[in-house]
């Protein structure tokens, strides 16, 4: 039981670090990677929580999360691949100029 | 079992951090990505609050479908988010603060979580629990209520979701190039 508590706390700490990267991340890729990692961590947290609370059937939700995480990241990357919205924040002006020149 | 409040607290802190991040971001793609993360967190919170079915729905609709929908919309439209002035607008801020205060005031009337004396537990819940299994033959109580006792309600929800799906497919499923050519021809 206590091992699951330790695992949950460790997962929460690494989730906090992923959130920090998603918040601070200067480029879109940082954020996408952070979201992907956060999704993986939430799958692990759901699994740890399932055994912690004695309901292993909640593991189905962890499976669903991992599928959705993959789907969302692939969708975001397909959009980035097109070149639009590549930049983030202050660089938006730069990409707008680039569009005008082409 | 003492870990539950810790997980709840951490997830809520993450939610607040993400909400403020979305506020001060200016890139649309980054906003959409963090919105998806927000929904995933919300689903995790629902799961910790012992509602796996709501967590399923939130993860599938909030984090999966609506994120993809917003991304597709972003790729179809060319609008960019404009950076507004940093000056504080007092009137909207006042409205938001008043609404938030009213909502927080309303919290006092909500029954505690798992309270057996709550109005929602007084009405028909006893009958569902005592004779639901014999009446419907469905082993899962939540499924019995949703699919049998509230069958017409669920049918209406399905119709609404189906209509929304058709609308989205009509809006976003058009071939792009044809539409752009038409736009060029019209002055």
């Amino acid at each position: 039981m206590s091992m699951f508590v330790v695992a949950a706390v460790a997962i929460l700490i690494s989730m906090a670090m992923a959130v920090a990267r998603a918040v601070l991340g200067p480029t879109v890729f940082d954020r996408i990677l952070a979201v992907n990692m956060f999704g993986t961590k939430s799958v692990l947290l759901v699994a740890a929580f399932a055994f912690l609370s004695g309901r292993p059937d909640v593991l189905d939700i962890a499976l669903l999360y991992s599928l959705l995480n993959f789907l969302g990241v692939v969708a975001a990357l397909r959009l980035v691949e097109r070149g639009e919205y590549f930049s983030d924040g202050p660089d938006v002006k730069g990409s707008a100029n680039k569009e005008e020149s082409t | 079992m003492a870990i539950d409040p810790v997980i709840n607290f951490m997830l809520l802190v993450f939610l607040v951090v993400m909400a403020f991040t979305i506020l001060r971001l200016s890139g649309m793609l980054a906003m959409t990505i963090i919105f998806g993360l927000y929904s995933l967190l919300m689903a995790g919170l629902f799961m910790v609050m012992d509602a796996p079915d709501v967590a399923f729905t939130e993860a599938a609709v909030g984090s999966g479908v609506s994120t993809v929908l917003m991304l597709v919309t972003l790729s179809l439209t060319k609008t960019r988010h404009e950076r507004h002035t940093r000056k504080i607008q007092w009137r909207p801020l006042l409205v938001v603060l008043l609404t938030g205060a009213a909502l927080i005031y309303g919290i006092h009337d909500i029954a505690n979580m798992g309270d057996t004396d709550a109005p929602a537990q007084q009405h028909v819940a006893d009958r569902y629990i005592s004779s639901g299994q014999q009446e419907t033959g469905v082993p899962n109580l939540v499924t019995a209520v949703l699919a049998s006792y509230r069958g017409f309600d669920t049918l209406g929800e399905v119709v609404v979701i189906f209509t929304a799906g058709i609308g989205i497919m009509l809006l976003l499923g058009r071939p792009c190039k044809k539409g752009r050519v038409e736009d060029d021809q019209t002055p």
Side-chain angles (χ1 to χ4, degrees), chain B residues 105-166:
Chain B
Y105 176 72
I107 286 176
H108 294 296
D109 282 343
I110 298 179
N112 286 327
M113 208 175 119
D115 189 3
T116 48
D117 295 332
Q121 317 288 351
Q122 299 287 326
H123 196 40
V124 284
D126 281 341
R127 185 189 165 91
Y128 289 160
I129 293 171
S130 62
S131 56
Q133 203 129 8
Q134 291 86 35
E135 284 184 356
T136 62
V138 182
N140 189 334
L141 260 184
V142 177
T143 313
V145 171
L146 282 181
S148 179
Y149 286 113
R150 302 180 190 165
F152 281 115
D153 193 25
T154 307
L155 182 67
E157 285 173 20
V158 170
V159 169
V160 168
I161 293 172
F162 183 65
T163 316
I166 289 176

Side-chain angles (χ1 to χ4, degrees), chain A residues 3 6 13 16 25 32-33 48 57-58 60 66 70-71 73 79 84:
Chain A
M3 283 310 286
V6 173
I13 291 172
I32 290 175
L33 263 181
D57 50 322
V58 178
D60 291 348
S66 54
F70 172 72
L71 189 75
V73 169
L79 184 59
E84 310 279 335

Side-chain angles (χ1 to χ4, degrees), chain B residues 34-123:
Chain B
I34 296 187
F35 251 121
L37 197 51
Y38 188 93
S39 292
L40 200 68
L41 263 177
M42 212 53 224
L45 210 57
F46 286 146
M47 209 212 61
V48 176
M49 289 197 301
D50 222 351
D53 50 331
V54 186
F56 251 121
T57 314
E58 176 70 28
V61 175
S63 177
V65 176
S66 68
T67 304
V68 172
L69 182 67
M70 279 199 268
L71 288 174
V72 172
T73 313
L74 272 186
S75 72
L76 283 182
T77 56
K78 296 289 178 190
T79 47
R80 290 182 184 280
H81 182 74
E82 292 176 8
R83 190 180 277 273
H84 292 293
T85 53
R86 288 289 176 188
K87 220 175 105 183
I88 296 176
Q89 296 179 323
W90 290 105
R91 232 181 298 170
L93 184 65
L94 188 70
V95 171
V96 167
L97 285 181
L98 278 179
T99 314
L103 286 176
I104 289 174
Y105 176 72
I107 286 176
H108 294 296
D109 282 343
I110 298 179
N112 286 327
M113 208 175 119
D115 189 3
T116 48
D117 295 332
Q121 317 288 351
Q122 299 287 326
H123 196 40

Side-chain angles (χ1 to χ4, degrees), chain B residues 6-19:
Chain B
V6 179
I7 293 179
N8 260 326
F9 178 76
M10 288 292 280
L11 291 182
L12 285 172
V13 167
F14 291 160
L15 277 185
V16 172
V17 168
M18 250 160 237

